[in-house]
Amino acid sequence: MYQCCLSCPLGTLTSEFHLTSDVLIELIPCQNHTVEVVEGVSEDVKCAPLLFKDDFLSEQYFGENQPASIMTEQIHFGEGMHRRAFRTKLVGGMQPTFTAGHPCVLKVHNVVSQGTKKNEDLIHKNYNLAAEECYVQNTAREYIKAYTSVAKTTEEFGEVPEIIPIFLVHRPSNDIPYATLEEELMGDFVKYSVKDGKEINLTRRDSEAGQKCCAFQHWVYHNTEGNLLVTDMQGVGMKLTDVGIATPKKGYKGFKGNCATSFIDQFKALHQCNKFCELLGLKSIQPSLSKPKRTATAPKPKPQPQAKKKPFVFNLKSKS
């Protein structure tokens, strides 16, 4: 895309056309103005937010589709088990959530391969993976909103971490029709805790963001009576993304997470409370290390006094 003033002949085209770099090269650039070209593929998509009712665990639904245009880089910068992450920029739409040119991340759930668009089963799996990611991250976002309300009642707590929202994307013209879209976090990306309630990056063990993330895990664990845990706390500073949720196999209040129940067991065994847990009045989940009580034992029999032995005396008789 390009940036140009309205007085320039190119300026009249900004709202009507998506110009490729090849077309821009052929145009005569106006004097005293610059033309910025962003390499990528332009695409018209539809983005749907996940909405909640009073019971956000069991009453979740996707809202109305919002039309948007994005420009996505062709080479991915991150890869997971079922997805690839691409840098993209919003060209139009999605206001007021994003402004034009806002850097975003498009996560493509590539269980659907090229040329398999007509395979309904694969498309269904592609949708489920993208939708699940929206359910998990946005549900964790609702929990951290409630956590924020509690933390703000304590002035000493300070800034509270935020889990950013993520949107379901429908790509009608693409062979992989469903993906997710979220803001790109700029800066040093850190994994504050990985499934077990302790900071993994030892050089950041005492970081404020990391300790507040672990306290958030403890708060959720406490308020769900150990039935739900937000895992994989990671992000840039106080902004978090790509989190997971662990629940029992049968779920919790109608909600099923995307991580194994064993993550809850790991957290219960390894979490160590910090000052932010104490500020929220959270009690340690570790068993107290009290001294074992002595069991009653039968009294030992008293030793019986031994009879004194008479000294052996030799009788020496003289010879007659």
Side-chain angles (χ1 to χ4, degrees):
M1 297 301 295
Y2 60 89
Q3 295 177 341
C4 201
C5 68
L6 293 178
S7 61
C8 170
L10 294 180
T12 59
L13 301 175
T14 55
S15 60
E16 300 179 8
F17 298 99
H18 299 311
L19 299 182
T20 64
S21 57
D22 293 337
V23 174
L24 286 172
I25 291 173
E26 295 177 1
L27 294 174
I28 301 175
C30 53
Q31 294 180 354
N32 301 324
H33 299 289
T34 59
V35 175
E36 179 186 355
V37 178
V38 177
E39 296 295 337
V41 177
S42 179
E43 188 176 11
D44 291 327
V45 298
K46 296 178 181 179
C47 303
L50 186 67
L51 303 178
F52 302 89
K53 294 183 179 180
D54 293 338
D55 185 356
F56 64 83
L57 275 180
S58 58
E59 298 177 318
Q60 307 178 355
Y61 61 100
F62 284 104
E64 186 177 351
N65 283 327
Q66 304 176 28
S69 296
I70 56 176
M71 179 72 75
T72 307
E73 295 180 0
Q74 293 182 327
I75 300 177
H76 65 275
F77 72 94
E79 187 170 358
M81 183 179 297
H82 293 298
R83 69 186 183 191
R84 291 179 178 179
F86 297 82
R87 287 189 173 90
T88 188
K89 283 193 176 181
L90 195 73
V91 178
M94 290 293 290
Q95 294 182 350
T97 306
F98 300 120
T99 57
H102 199 101
C104 297
V105 176
L106 186 74
K107 294 178 180 176
V108 180
H109 299 74
N110 53 349
V111 69
V112 181
S113 302
Q114 295 290 332
T116 59
K117 187 176 181 181
K118 294 181 180 180
N119 189 321
E120 296 297 329
D121 183 54
L122 288 178
I123 292 176
H124 184 67
K125 289 180 180 179
N126 169 230
Y127 171 83
N128 284 344
L129 287 171
E132 180 186 73
E133 188 162 331
C134 291
Y135 287 134
V136 169
Q137 183 154 319
N138 289 311
T139 298
R141 175 175 165 83
E142 291 299 306
Y143 270 111
I144 213 163
K145 285 181 182 178
Y147 173 72
T148 300
S149 299
V150 175
K152 283 187 175 179
T153 61
T154 305
E155 187 176 350
E156 299 175 24
F157 197 94
E159 186 181 1
V160 186
E162 173 195 2
I163 296 175
I164 64 174
I166 186 170
F167 299 86
L168 179 67
V169 177
H170 183 211
R171 313 163 73 200
S173 61
N174 201 288
D175 286 347
I176 306 178
Y178 293 100
T180 59
L181 183 74
E182 63 185 271
E183 173 188 2
E184 182 179 3
L185 301 182
M186 302 295 189
D188 186 15
F189 197 92
V190 179
K191 290 189 176 183
Y192 294 114
S193 66
V194 178
K195 307 176 184 69
D196 62 7
K198 294 171 65 178
E199 289 192 62
I200 188 172
N201 190 333
L202 298 180
T203 62
R204 297 174 180 270
R205 188 175 183 82
D206 297 324
S207 71
E208 181 180 341
Q211 290 195 22
K212 287 178 176 178
C213 286
C214 292
F216 168 64
Q217 290 183 298
H218 188 173
W219 183 85
V220 173
Y221 177 89
H222 171 76
N223 282 275
T224 60
E225 298 179 340
N227 287 294
L228 189 145
L229 179 72
V230 180
T231 71
D232 283 350
M233 305 294 292
Q234 54 192 311
V236 177
M238 291 288 179
K239 282 195 170 186
L240 311 174
T241 185
D242 206 19
V243 300
I245 290 181
T247 59
K249 291 181 179 180
K250 294 183 180 180
Y252 173 65
K253 293 186 177 181
F255 181 88
K256 286 188 177 182
N258 61 340
C259 296
T261 305
S262 59
F263 296 166
I264 299 178
D265 299 330
Q266 290 175 355
F267 178 83
K268 183 179 179 180
L270 299 174
H271 173 66
Q272 296 177 354
C273 287
N274 56 54
K275 63 180 181 181
F276 297 105
C277 297
E278 296 172 0
L279 285 174
L280 296 174
L282 297 172
K283 296 182 180 179
S284 174
I285 58 178
Q286 300 296 329
S288 57
L289 300 176
S290 56
K291 293 182 179 180
K293 295 181 180 180
R294 294 181 178 178
T295 57
T297 55
K300 294 181 179 180
K302 293 182 179 180
Q304 295 295 327
Q306 294 181 355
K308 293 182 179 180
K309 292 182 179 181
K310 293 182 179 181
F312 186 79
V313 179
F314 287 95
N315 248 339
L316 295 178
K317 293 181 180 181
S318 57
K319 292 181 180 181
S320 54

